Amino acid sequence: MGDRDPPRSGLRPPPPKGGAAGGPAEPAPRRLLGEKGNAVVLLTGVRKAYNVGTAFETEVLHGIDLTVMHGEFCAVVGPSGSGKSTLLNIVGLLDRPTSGTVQVCGEQTTRLDDGALTRLRGHGIGFVFQYHHLITAFSALENVMMPMLGAEGFASDAMRSRAEALIESVGLTRWKDNGAGKLSGGQQQRVAIARALAMGPALLLADEPTGNLDTKSADEVFNLLRRFNSEHGTTVLFVTHNVAMSERCDRTIEVIDGKISGA
Protein backbone atom coordinates (compact mmCIF):
# COMPACT_ATOMS: atom_id res chain seq x y z
CA MET A 1 0.00 0.00 0.00
CA GLY A 2 3.01 2.26 -0.16
CA ASP A 3 2.59 4.16 3.10
CA ARG A 4 1.94 1.31 5.49
CA ASP A 5 4.06 -0.95 7.62
CA PRO A 6 4.11 -4.68 6.93
CA PRO A 7 0.92 -6.31 8.29
CA ARG A 8 0.74 -6.68 12.04
CA SER A 9 -1.22 -9.25 14.03
CA GLY A 10 -4.39 -7.16 14.09
CA LEU A 11 -5.27 -3.79 15.62
CA ARG A 12 -4.80 -4.40 19.28
CA PRO A 13 -3.89 -1.29 21.30
CA PRO A 14 -3.53 -2.29 24.94
CA PRO A 15 -6.18 -1.11 27.36
CA PRO A 16 -5.22 2.24 28.86
CA LYS A 17 -4.34 0.88 32.26
CA GLY A 18 -1.47 -0.84 33.97
CA GLY A 19 2.03 -1.01 32.50
CA ALA A 20 4.46 -3.91 32.54
CA ALA A 21 5.07 -5.55 35.87
CA GLY A 22 7.27 -3.33 37.97
CA GLY A 23 7.01 -0.47 35.45
CA PRO A 24 5.06 2.76 35.70
CA ALA A 25 1.31 2.39 35.34
CA GLU A 26 -0.11 3.82 32.15
CA PRO A 27 -2.54 6.73 32.40
CA ALA A 28 -5.88 5.27 33.39
CA PRO A 29 -8.61 7.16 31.53
CA ARG A 30 -12.07 6.14 32.62
CA ARG A 31 -14.09 4.10 30.15
CA LEU A 32 -17.29 5.73 31.33
CA LEU A 33 -19.87 3.14 30.41
CA GLY A 34 -18.40 0.42 28.30
CA GLU A 35 -20.71 -2.47 29.01
CA LYS A 36 -23.09 -4.23 26.66
CA GLY A 37 -26.73 -3.38 27.22
CA ASN A 38 -26.03 0.20 28.27
CA ALA A 39 -27.01 3.30 26.33
CA VAL A 40 -23.92 5.38 25.58
CA VAL A 41 -26.06 8.17 24.09
CA LEU A 42 -29.58 8.95 25.28
CA LEU A 43 -31.29 12.13 24.04
CA THR A 44 -34.85 12.95 25.10
CA GLY A 45 -36.86 15.82 23.60
CA VAL A 46 -33.73 17.72 22.55
CA ARG A 47 -34.36 21.06 20.92
CA LYS A 48 -31.75 23.58 19.83
CA ALA A 49 -32.52 27.17 18.91
CA TYR A 50 -30.32 30.17 18.23
CA ASN A 51 -31.03 33.85 19.03
CA VAL A 52 -33.55 32.69 21.62
CA GLY A 53 -36.00 35.38 22.70
CA THR A 54 -35.32 37.64 19.74
CA ALA A 55 -37.12 38.27 16.48
CA PHE A 56 -34.43 36.17 14.81
CA GLU A 57 -34.93 33.02 16.91
CA THR A 58 -34.33 29.94 14.77
CA GLU A 59 -34.88 26.37 15.92
CA VAL A 60 -32.65 23.83 14.15
CA LEU A 61 -33.36 20.67 16.16
CA HIS A 62 -36.96 19.82 16.92
CA GLY A 63 -37.55 17.40 19.78
CA ILE A 64 -34.85 14.80 19.05
CA ASP A 65 -35.19 11.42 20.78
CA LEU A 66 -32.18 9.16 20.19
CA THR A 67 -30.67 6.10 21.86
CA VAL A 68 -27.31 4.63 20.84
CA MET A 69 -26.28 1.47 22.64
CA HIS A 70 -22.81 0.35 23.68
CA GLY A 71 -20.87 -1.12 20.75
CA GLU A 72 -23.10 0.21 17.98
CA PHE A 73 -21.57 1.60 14.78
CA CYS A 74 -24.12 4.07 13.42
CA ALA A 75 -24.09 6.16 10.27
CA VAL A 76 -25.55 9.67 10.60
CA VAL A 77 -26.80 10.89 7.24
CA GLY A 78 -28.87 13.73 5.83
CA PRO A 79 -28.64 16.69 3.46
CA SER A 80 -26.48 19.70 4.21
CA GLY A 81 -28.23 22.01 6.65
CA SER A 82 -30.36 19.22 8.10
CA GLY A 83 -28.95 19.56 11.62
CA LYS A 84 -26.35 16.74 11.62
CA SER A 85 -23.50 18.93 12.83
CA THR A 86 -25.66 20.54 15.52
CA LEU A 87 -26.74 17.10 16.70
CA LEU A 88 -23.13 15.88 16.81
CA ASN A 89 -22.04 18.99 18.72
CA ILE A 90 -24.69 18.33 21.37
CA VAL A 91 -23.82 14.63 21.66
CA GLY A 92 -20.13 15.61 21.85
CA LEU A 93 -20.87 18.14 24.64
CA LEU A 94 -19.53 20.99 22.51
CA ASP A 95 -22.91 22.74 22.68
CA ARG A 96 -25.88 22.67 25.03
CA PRO A 97 -29.49 22.02 24.01
CA THR A 98 -32.09 24.74 24.44
CA SER A 99 -34.34 22.15 26.07
CA GLY A 100 -34.48 18.41 26.60
CA THR A 101 -32.05 16.05 28.31
CA VAL A 102 -28.70 14.68 27.16
CA GLN A 103 -27.15 11.60 28.75
CA VAL A 104 -23.69 10.63 27.47
CA CYS A 105 -21.51 7.81 28.77
CA GLY A 106 -23.88 7.22 31.66
CA GLU A 107 -23.81 10.84 32.84
CA GLN A 108 -26.83 13.12 32.85
CA THR A 109 -25.20 16.26 31.45
CA THR A 110 -27.98 18.86 31.46
CA ARG A 111 -26.97 20.47 34.76
CA LEU A 112 -23.22 19.92 34.61
CA ASP A 113 -21.07 23.04 34.65
CA ASP A 114 -18.50 23.75 31.94
CA GLY A 115 -15.65 22.20 33.90
CA ALA A 116 -17.52 18.94 34.44
CA LEU A 117 -18.53 18.84 30.76
CA THR A 118 -14.91 19.33 29.73
CA ARG A 119 -13.75 16.47 31.95
CA LEU A 120 -16.47 14.14 30.68
CA ARG A 121 -15.74 15.06 27.07
CA GLY A 122 -12.00 14.61 27.54
CA HIS A 123 -12.26 11.15 29.11
CA GLY A 124 -15.40 9.71 27.55
CA ILE A 125 -15.48 10.97 23.95
CA GLY A 126 -13.03 10.84 21.05
CA PHE A 127 -13.36 13.07 17.99
CA VAL A 128 -12.26 12.59 14.39
CA PHE A 129 -13.09 15.35 11.92
CA GLN A 130 -13.02 15.77 8.15
CA TYR A 131 -9.81 17.76 8.59
CA HIS A 132 -7.32 16.01 10.85
CA HIS A 133 -6.49 19.06 13.06
CA LEU A 134 -3.04 17.67 13.87
CA ILE A 135 -0.30 19.98 15.11
CA THR A 136 1.92 19.91 12.03
CA ALA A 137 5.04 21.01 13.91
CA PHE A 138 4.80 17.93 16.13
CA SER A 139 5.53 14.33 15.19
CA ALA A 140 2.81 11.74 14.70
CA LEU A 141 3.69 10.23 18.07
CA GLU A 142 3.57 13.58 19.87
CA ASN A 143 0.15 14.30 18.40
CA VAL A 144 -1.20 11.01 19.76
CA MET A 145 0.20 11.88 23.20
CA MET A 146 -1.60 15.27 23.31
CA PRO A 147 -4.87 14.14 24.99
CA MET A 148 -2.93 12.29 27.69
CA LEU A 149 -0.68 15.30 28.27
CA GLY A 150 -3.75 17.49 28.60
CA ALA A 151 -5.21 15.17 31.21
CA GLU A 152 -2.04 14.51 33.23
CA GLY A 153 -0.13 17.77 32.72
CA PHE A 154 3.24 16.07 32.16
CA ALA A 155 4.75 13.43 29.90
CA SER A 156 5.66 9.97 31.10
CA ASP A 157 7.13 6.76 29.74
CA ALA A 158 3.72 5.16 30.11
CA MET A 159 2.15 7.80 27.86
CA ARG A 160 4.81 7.29 25.24
CA SER A 161 4.32 3.52 25.38
CA ARG A 162 0.58 3.83 24.89
CA ALA A 163 1.02 6.32 22.05
CA GLU A 164 3.51 3.99 20.36
CA ALA A 165 1.08 1.08 20.69
CA LEU A 166 -1.70 3.15 19.11
CA ILE A 167 0.58 4.31 16.30
CA GLU A 168 1.48 0.68 15.66
CA SER A 169 -2.19 -0.31 15.69
CA VAL A 170 -2.94 2.10 12.83
CA GLY A 171 0.07 0.87 10.84
CA LEU A 172 2.34 3.90 11.18
CA THR A 173 5.27 2.84 13.35
CA ARG A 174 7.69 3.58 10.53
CA TRP A 175 6.46 7.18 10.43
CA LYS A 176 5.94 7.84 14.15
CA ASP A 177 8.73 10.43 14.35
CA ASN A 178 7.77 12.19 11.11
CA GLY A 179 6.26 15.65 11.39
CA ALA A 180 2.49 15.45 10.94
CA GLY A 181 2.71 17.93 8.08
CA LYS A 182 4.92 15.52 6.12
CA LEU A 183 2.42 12.65 6.14
CA SER A 184 -0.09 11.82 3.40
CA GLY A 185 -3.75 12.64 3.91
CA GLY A 186 -4.60 9.02 4.71
CA GLN A 187 -1.72 8.78 7.19
CA GLN A 188 -2.77 12.02 8.89
CA GLN A 189 -6.30 10.73 9.37
CA ARG A 190 -4.98 7.48 10.83
CA VAL A 191 -2.93 9.52 13.31
CA ALA A 192 -6.10 11.48 14.14
CA ILE A 193 -7.90 8.20 14.89
CA ALA A 194 -5.06 7.04 17.14
CA ARG A 195 -5.20 10.38 18.97
CA ALA A 196 -8.98 10.10 19.37
CA LEU A 197 -8.51 6.71 21.04
CA ALA A 198 -5.69 7.79 23.35
CA MET A 199 -7.93 8.18 26.40
CA GLY A 200 -9.84 4.94 25.79
CA PRO A 201 -13.19 6.67 25.14
CA ALA A 202 -16.49 4.82 25.24
CA LEU A 203 -17.79 6.96 22.34
CA LEU A 204 -16.10 8.02 19.10
CA LEU A 205 -17.66 10.80 17.00
CA ALA A 206 -16.43 10.81 13.40
CA ASP A 207 -17.63 13.83 11.40
CA GLU A 208 -17.03 13.13 7.69
CA PRO A 209 -13.59 11.59 8.44
CA THR A 210 -13.26 10.25 4.88
CA GLY A 211 -14.59 13.33 3.10
CA ASN A 212 -11.19 14.67 2.01
CA LEU A 213 -9.64 11.30 1.11
CA ASP A 214 -9.30 9.31 -2.09
CA THR A 215 -11.34 6.13 -2.37
CA LYS A 216 -8.54 3.80 -1.23
CA SER A 217 -7.56 5.90 1.80
CA ALA A 218 -11.22 6.44 2.73
CA ASP A 219 -11.81 2.70 2.72
CA GLU A 220 -8.74 2.12 4.92
CA VAL A 221 -9.93 4.73 7.44
CA PHE A 222 -13.45 3.28 7.54
CA ASN A 223 -12.08 -0.25 8.03
CA LEU A 224 -9.85 1.00 10.82
CA LEU A 225 -12.82 2.50 12.67
CA ARG A 226 -14.76 -0.69 12.10
CA ARG A 227 -11.94 -2.81 13.54
CA PHE A 228 -11.69 -0.74 16.71
CA ASN A 229 -15.46 -0.87 17.09
CA SER A 230 -15.48 -4.65 16.69
CA GLU A 231 -12.43 -5.46 18.81
CA HIS A 232 -12.84 -2.96 21.66
CA GLY A 233 -16.56 -2.21 21.74
CA THR A 234 -16.06 1.49 21.04
CA THR A 235 -19.40 3.04 20.10
CA VAL A 236 -19.13 5.04 16.86
CA LEU A 237 -21.30 7.75 15.32
CA PHE A 238 -20.07 8.15 11.74
CA VAL A 239 -21.36 11.19 9.83
CA THR A 240 -21.14 10.65 6.08
CA HIS A 241 -22.62 11.56 2.70
CA ASN A 242 -21.25 8.31 1.28
CA VAL A 243 -24.20 5.98 0.77
CA ALA A 244 -22.00 2.90 0.27
CA MET A 245 -20.26 3.49 3.62
CA SER A 246 -23.51 4.15 5.47
CA GLU A 247 -24.78 0.79 4.25
CA ARG A 248 -21.79 -0.90 5.91
CA CYS A 249 -22.77 0.47 9.35
CA ASP A 250 -24.96 -1.33 11.88
CA ARG A 251 -27.77 1.16 11.44
CA THR A 252 -28.44 4.52 9.84
CA ILE A 253 -29.74 7.61 11.66
CA GLU A 254 -31.22 9.97 9.07
CA VAL A 255 -31.57 13.64 10.02
CA ILE A 256 -33.96 15.72 7.91
CA ASP A 257 -35.03 19.28 8.73
CA GLY A 258 -33.89 18.98 12.33
CA LYS A 259 -35.73 15.74 13.03
CA ILE A 260 -34.72 12.09 12.95
CA SER A 261 -36.55 10.51 10.07
CA GLY A 262 -38.98 7.84 11.18
CA ALA A 263 -38.71 8.81 14.84
Side-chain angles (χ1 to χ4, degrees):
M1 297 183 184
D3 65 349
R4 303 190 71 177
D5 275 355
R8 303 280 181 179
S9 56
L11 301 174
R12 298 183 178 275
K17 63 180 181 179
E26 292 193 31
R30 294 183 298 161
R31 182 173 286 280
L32 298 164
L33 197 81
E35 298 297 330
K36 292 182 179 179
N38 287 326
V40 175
V41 176
L42 180 60
L43 307 186
T44 305
V46 167
R47 298 179 181 272
K48 180 62 182 179
Y50 295 97
N51 301 311
V52 176
T54 75
F56 304 102
E57 181 171 332
T58 303
E59 187 171 279
V60 295
L61 294 181
H62 314 295
I64 296 286
D65 295 321
L66 176 65
T67 301
V68 180
M69 302 302 290
H70 165 75
E72 281 197 282
F73 193 112
C74 301
V76 181
V77 304
S80 297
S82 62
K84 299 189 306 297
S85 294
T86 302
L87 176 62
L88 209 68
N89 285 343
I90 288 175
V91 171
L93 309 181
L94 297 171
D95 202 355
R96 293 179 183 266
T98 303
S99 63
T101 61
V102 178
Q103 181 176 305
V104 177
C105 298
E107 297 278 352
Q108 179 56 253
T109 68
T110 309
R111 296 183 179 180
L112 294 182
D113 62 24
D114 288 346
L117 286 176
T118 297
R119 288 189 292 274
L120 177 58
R121 185 170 58 244
H123 288 86
I125 306 172
F127 296 86
V128 183
F129 300 99
Q130 184 171 357
Y131 182 71
H132 54 77
H133 294 295
L134 301 178
I135 302 173
T136 55
F138 288 2
S139 70
L141 186 68
E142 289 167 338
N143 271 279
V144 175
M145 291 177 67
M146 283 294 108
M148 294 181 280
L149 282 167
E152 298 294 327
F154 59 90
S156 69
D157 290 340
M159 284 183 195
R160 185 177 183 89
S161 294
R162 176 156 174 79
E164 287 177 339
L166 284 162
I167 284 287
E168 179 180 7
S169 74
V170 298
L172 291 175
T173 296
R174 190 184 304 170
W175 295 273
K176 67 178 183 179
D177 295 320
N178 285 24
K182 296 181 179 179
L183 301 175
S184 71
Q187 288 175 325
Q188 288 171 332
Q189 202 62 308
R190 282 189 274 156
V191 174
I193 291 171
R195 179 186 60 188
L197 294 168
M199 297 297 291
L203 175 64
L204 183 66
L205 303 180
D207 191 1
E208 290 277 7
T210 63
N212 288 334
L213 303 178
D214 60 77
T215 302
K216 179 182 176 182
S217 295
D219 194 57
E220 289 177 351
V221 165
F222 181 86
N223 288 337
L224 195 59
L225 292 171
R226 226 10 180 148
R227 291 285 296 275
F228 279 116
N229 163 253
S230 175
E231 294 183 2
H232 304 289
T234 307
T235 303
V236 178
L237 287 183
F238 181 83
V239 177
T240 184
H241 287 288
N242 187 311
V243 175
M245 284 190 175
S246 69
E247 291 175 346
R248 294 163 62 187
C249 298
D250 295 337
R251 72 174 166 123
T252 297
I253 300 164
E254 186 175 16
V255 184
I256 299 178
D257 296 332
K259 298 180 180 180
I260 293 179
S261 179

